[in-house]
Amino acid sequence: MERFEYKVVKTPSKSTKYKGMNKADDAFAQTLMDGMNELGQNGWQFLRVETLEEDRRSLLRNSQLSHEYMVYRRPMRSNGMTLDTPVSPARIRKAAAPNIELLRARIGSVMSEPEKLVAVAH
């Protein structure tokens, strides 16, 4: 089963000004597209826009605010690490390499045990 990590980003409230772009709708769309492409270069896949309500309580009155968020996801590595966490080849080799001291101790104890067994058996 594939595992994912998620990122939630507040939708922009203002568009960036672009040279030669007169329509506000086009500038806002370009602002969204630039943000989505930037996250996409880092492996984030856009899923959806969520509108969430927040309850605000104060001494005088209660109010409710709406927030819109863009939800992204990207797959995690099979070892549970994120794509942001680099795995160096030296780290993999060190983890996969056997412990030499432990092997020498085991070989030494195995080599001395047959002599004891042979002496007992005669």
Side-chain angles (χ1 to χ4, degrees):
M1 181 171 84
E2 193 169 13
R3 295 173 54 194
F4 296 95
E5 65 176 327
Y6 293 88
K7 184 177 198 104
V8 178
V9 179
K10 180 120 174 83
T11 56
S13 57
K14 291 184 179 181
S15 60
T16 306
K17 295 192 180 207
Y18 295 95
K19 236 181 194 179
M21 199 173 289
N22 297 331
K23 292 185 178 179
D25 292 343
D26 292 340
F28 190 74
Q30 185 67 41
T31 302
L32 284 174
M33 189 169 57
D34 289 345
M36 292 171 80
N37 284 332
E38 184 179 334
L39 288 170
Q41 290 175 351
N42 293 324
W44 293 103
Q45 175 188 7
F46 174 74
L47 287 180
R48 63 184 170 268
V49 173
E50 289 286 336
T51 303
L52 302 172
E53 304 291 329
E54 176 189 7
D55 290 328
R56 291 236 173 140
R57 296 194 173 126
S58 67
L59 294 174
L60 300 176
R61 65 184 181 128
N62 295 337
S63 61
Q64 207 171 37
L65 291 175
S66 292
H67 300 284
E68 289 189 345
Y69 296 98
M70 300 170 72
V71 181
Y72 295 85
R73 77 174 183 183
R74 69 178 173 187
M76 293 179 76
R77 293 185 174 141
S78 61
N79 61 0
M81 296 177 75
T82 65
L83 296 174
D84 286 336
T85 311
V87 177
S88 67
R91 187 171 156 194
I92 294 171
R93 272 187 259 119
K94 186 175 182 181
N99 186 338
I100 300 298
E101 290 77 25
L102 182 61
L103 287 174
R104 285 184 182 151
R106 286 186 181 168
I107 291 172
S109 65
V110 170
M111 293 303 285
S112 61
E113 287 178 14
E115 296 169 1
K116 292 177 184 174
L117 290 176
V118 171
V120 173
H122 287 290

